[in-house]
Amino acid sequence: MKHTQSEHPQEQVMFKKNLFTQKRVLLSIAICLALILIAIALLTFGKANTKIPVSKKFDLSDTDKTVITGKVLADPTLQQGFAFDNTNNHIYMVQITNAGQKLGTETRTYGSAERSIKGDLTVTKLSADGTILGKMYLIGFGHGVSIGVEPVDTTAYLWTEVDAVADKSEPNNGFGTKIARFPFVDNQVLVNTDPSITKYTPVAGADRTTLNIDMANGLLIMRYRLNGTLFHYSAFNLAEVKDGTYKPLATVDQPKGLGVFQGFASYGSYLYLLDGTAYNLNTNPTGNTYITTVDLNTGLQVDRAMMNTEKSMLFREPEGMAIQIVGTTARLCFGFGSYRTSMDTRKHANIFYKDALIKGN
């Protein structure tokens, strides 16, 4: 016999209850899956990441001390990034290659603007006291904002940006699109297509790439831009990057409100950013050079302080940061380019540091 709904009201009520319960269960499962996917995405991007052991951080109020001052580099142009070979006690500093030189297989000389757009860099190898020990030229690499050094016995492997392209927002400068590792070879002119260069692309689609090596903690930090907008920093295990494995331990955004970006360094779970423009005793007596501290595990800005170092310089432009290890002491180093004299605007290199560490967050 055929039944209508009204003939079995209790069954109909039970049917509706079961259907409602099933929908609630399915909805709960969907919500849980969505939360899991969000958590995975956050961990992958590094926002909720605590994979870097919490370390001490540098006290930005610490007194400034001197590494080197008034040193001549291989070229008279302004210093850019620098890094330390803490094993062999050397300093490596990069600068835009000077005009008027014909290098390697080049068929003509190039002007300053051409060198900058092409991303041609000069590397100067210095002793601990700033004496020139050698030089190397890098053709088509980038702007040299930050570099790294990985010592392997007595050989220094340099880590830099590579494959420079001119940027739409800064068409007069070439910036890297990948990162590179290669040995320092005195007097070599190294073109960016040379097979001795190992190239890496830790973040697909990134440009404006540059990096820092934290040898004390085995980390590589890459600064990069995505979609032509925001800058980010991703921390990787150095050994994994060398093996071609790109799993970020943390990724943070560059804080808003910085001045002109001039370099960065990392030590443990903290990132240090340098910003500012040229200081002039007569026209800009207070200066605008700052160091900002960022927690790599949370992305939060935890400190920011003005650097009044060596205000007596007639010209003092902030350029470059790096970590130096002397014995068991870590130094947060930051650089300034300066004029040689009031009448000679060729540049001198200068590096200062802070070494007081305080408890991290």
Side-chain angles (χ1 to χ4, degrees), residues 52-57 214 217 219 266-272 293-298 360-361:
I52 302 176
V54 175
S55 66
K56 290 184 176 182
K57 62 184 178 182
D214 176 2
N217 295 283
L219 298 176
S266 69
Y267 184 69
S269 61
Y270 290 94
L271 178 69
Y272 303 90
T293 306
V294 176
D295 187 329
L296 279 167
N297 285 318
T298 66
N361 295 340

Side-chain angles (χ1 to χ4, degrees), residues 201-233:
T201 310
V203 180
D207 67 359
R208 297 287 292 264
T209 57
T210 189
L211 59 93
N212 160 83
I213 301 291
D214 176 2
M215 286 302 302
N217 295 283
L219 298 176
L220 181 150
I221 313 297
M222 187 174 84
R223 179 182 187 258
Y224 58 94
R225 187 179 65 178
L226 286 174
N227 303 316
T229 54
L230 296 177
F231 284 93
H232 312 278
Y233 300 81

Side-chain angles (χ1 to χ4, degrees), residues 74-89:
D75 278 352
T77 53
L78 189 68
Q79 70 181 67
Q80 296 289 327
F82 60 91
F84 295 92
D85 177 344
N86 294 308
T87 298
N88 299 296
N89 207 21

Side-chain angles (χ1 to χ4, degrees), residues 29-288:
I29 292 172
I31 291 172
C32 288
L33 287 172
L35 290 173
I36 290 170
L37 290 172
I38 290 171
I40 291 172
L42 286 172
L43 286 171
T44 301
F45 194 63
K47 300 294 184 181
N49 203 305
T50 54
K51 288 186 178 180
I52 302 176
V54 175
S55 66
K56 290 184 176 182
K57 62 184 178 182
F58 286 100
D59 183 357
L60 300 187
S61 67
D62 181 33
T63 302
D64 302 328
K65 307 169 188 70
T66 300
V67 179
I68 56 171
T69 58
K71 298 302 180 181
V72 173
L73 300 178
D75 278 352
T77 53
L78 189 68
Q79 70 181 67
Q80 296 289 327
F82 60 91
F84 295 92
D85 177 344
N86 294 308
T87 298
N88 299 296
N89 207 21
H90 297 145
I91 307 169
Y92 291 85
M93 188 170 286
V94 294
Q95 55 193 143
I96 302 298
T97 300
N98 196 37
Q101 303 181 77
K102 187 165 65 173
L103 303 172
T105 59
E106 292 176 347
T107 58
R108 66 175 180 88
T109 60
Y110 289 85
S112 297
E114 292 177 302
R115 290 292 187 193
S116 185
I117 292 171
K118 287 168 77 266
D120 297 345
L121 300 172
T122 301
V123 183
T124 305
K125 178 181 178 179
L126 301 165
S127 67
D129 65 2
T131 302
I132 294 178
L133 301 177
K135 66 180 184 298
M136 184 177 184
Y137 298 98
L138 311 178
I139 307 300
F141 279 69
H143 198 64
V145 173
S146 183
I147 64 170
V149 175
E150 177 195 359
V152 179
D153 297 325
T154 58
T155 300
Y157 283 84
L158 302 184
W159 287 80
T160 70
E161 65 196 285
V162 72
D163 294 348
V165 296
D167 188 71
K168 290 182 180 179
S169 62
E170 293 186 49
N172 294 324
N173 294 310
F175 297 93
T177 54
K178 298 182 181 67
I179 60 176
R181 178 182 184 267
F182 54 90
F184 175 86
V185 178
D186 190 24
N187 286 316
Q188 182 181 16
V189 178
L190 185 66
V191 179
N192 64 339
T193 55
D194 193 281
S196 67
I197 304 168
T198 303
K199 297 180 182 180
Y200 306 88
T201 310
V203 180
D207 67 359
R208 297 287 292 264
T209 57
T210 189
L211 59 93
N212 160 83
I213 301 291
D214 176 2
M215 286 302 302
N217 295 283
L219 298 176
L220 181 150
I221 313 297
M222 187 174 84
R223 179 182 187 258
Y224 58 94
R225 187 179 65 178
L226 286 174
N227 303 316
T229 54
L230 296 177
F231 284 93
H232 312 278
Y233 300 81
S234 287
F236 299 90
N237 179 284
L238 176 61
E240 290 184 354
V241 171
K242 289 167 63 176
D243 287 338
T245 301
Y246 308 135
K247 296 185 299 183
L249 302 175
T251 295
V252 300
D253 295 338
Q254 181 166 294
K256 296 180 180 178
L258 300 185
V260 176
F261 186 80
Q262 299 285 15
F264 74 101
S266 69
Y267 184 69
S269 61
Y270 290 94
L271 178 69
Y272 303 90
L273 313 177
L274 181 69
D275 68 270
T277 54
Y279 163 100
N280 186 293
L281 183 62
N282 298 316
T283 62
N284 184 17
T286 59
N288 61 2

